[in-house]
């Protein structure tokens, strides 16, 4: 099973609404399916265009490694050569920092990932988790 397009739209809308309510910088939010393919993406007005690659890299790492960005960052700090090798194996598409959210359904199955970029990594993660919860799914950073 994968995140549906409707769920992806809810995730993005809720994440961006929460970011606006907290007066954060303009964000980019991407939702990937369980295979790492883009389902939906939005970049707010004023967000740099390069934020897509960062958001996608955060989400890609989460779904490919089966762990959220915060856990990836800890792994990178503990085993930098391993993470460097993995990044090479995945074509340079990993951004192992908070803001990459692994997404599970209520049965615990991985259904995709969310990547948020544009604020501090901790703020990106909190906004992503809000979006995931709004869609009735479980997020792991």
């Amino acid at each position: 099973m994968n995140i549906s397009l409707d769920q992806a739209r809810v995730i993005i809308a809720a994440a961006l609404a929460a970011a606006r309510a907290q007066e954060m910088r303009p964000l980019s939010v991407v939702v990937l399916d369980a295979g790492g393919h883009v389902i939906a993406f939005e970049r707010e007005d004023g967000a740099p265009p390069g934020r897509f690659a960062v958001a996608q890299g955060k989400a890609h790492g989460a779904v490919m490694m089966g762990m959220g960005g915060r856990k990836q960052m800890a792994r990178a700090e503990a085993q930098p050569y391993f993470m460097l090798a993995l990044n090479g194996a995945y074509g340079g598409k990993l951004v192992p920092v908070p803001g990459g959210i692994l997404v599970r359904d209520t049965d615990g199955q991985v259904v995709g990932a969310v990547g948020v970029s544009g604020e501090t990594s901790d703020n990106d993660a909190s906004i992503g988790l809000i979006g995931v919860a709004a869609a009735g799914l479980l997020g792991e950073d």
Side-chain angles (χ1 to χ4, degrees):
M1 185 173 149
N2 286 306
I3 297 173
S4 71
L5 179 58
D6 287 341
Q7 288 171 314
R9 288 176 173 157
V10 168
I11 290 167
I12 291 171
L16 294 179
R20 287 312 99 236
Q22 296 178 45
E23 299 182 3
M24 292 185 178
R25 292 186 293 249
L27 299 180
S28 291
V29 181
V30 66
V31 180
L32 307 183
D33 67 16
H37 304 97
V38 175
I39 298 172
F41 169 74
E42 285 194 25
R43 179 174 60 91
E44 289 186 297
D45 293 343
R51 291 293 179 189
F52 171 77
V54 176
Q56 185 182 27
K58 289 180 178 187
H60 189 76
V63 77
M64 290 295 127
M65 294 186 63
M67 65 177 69
R70 195 169 308 280
K71 288 182 182 177
Q72 290 177 61
M73 186 172 74
R75 185 83 181 261
E77 290 169 348
Q79 297 178 304
Y81 291 109
F82 175 72
M83 289 299 289
L84 184 61
L86 271 184
N87 205 9
Y90 290 128
K93 293 183 181 178
L94 301 183
V95 179
V97 296
I101 312 294
L102 184 66
V103 180
R104 296 181 186 272
D105 64 17
T106 55
D107 293 328
Q109 298 299 309
V110 173
V111 294
V114 173
V116 180
S117 180
E119 254 294 336
T120 66
S121 292
D122 287 337
N123 284 343
D124 289 345
S126 68
I127 290 301
L129 290 168
I130 289 168
V132 170
L137 299 167
L138 307 172
E140 298 173 16
D141 179 50

